[in-house]
Amino acid sequence: RALELRVRPEAPAPVYSVALSRVHPDASVAQIGNVSELKAEADGFVRLYVDSSRLESGVYLLVITPANDRTAASTSAFRVKVTDPAGKP
């Protein structure tokens, strides 16, 4: 099933790139997907969809960057915790 995520980036831009990574218990990070050419909606939010079958319970890092400006100052990062609604780890 698809999960809809709406993210409001800190830096306004016409087009964004987004990367989703899994944060492992040892703090290592492994990217599981990325997408580019996402446009912000009129309210400033960027809408994206994630395939829930690719997600395990745990912590993820979502990084959104203006496509034309990849400086650290323009990047927004969000931690996302995924849990199993059935209570499985």
Side-chain angles (χ1 to χ4, degrees), residues 12-86:
V15 181
Y16 294 90
S17 295
V18 177
L20 182 65
S21 301
R22 166 102 185 190
V23 180
H24 297 287
D26 66 359
S28 64
V29 178
Q31 189 176 92
I32 62 167
N34 62 41
V35 65
S36 57
E37 303 299 319
L38 292 177
K39 294 184 179 181
E41 296 180 2
D43 61 3
F45 283 89
V46 174
R47 184 183 309 231
L48 62 137
Y49 296 89
V50 178
D51 179 357
S52 65
S53 70
R54 296 192 58 202
L55 301 178
E56 299 174 10
S57 293
V59 178
Y60 292 81
L61 181 65
L62 183 113
V63 177
I64 184 164
T65 307
N68 60 350
D69 181 7
R70 300 201 181 266
T71 64
S74 65
T75 298
S76 300
F78 303 91
R79 291 178 77 83
V80 178
K81 184 174 182 180
V82 174
T83 58
D84 185 330

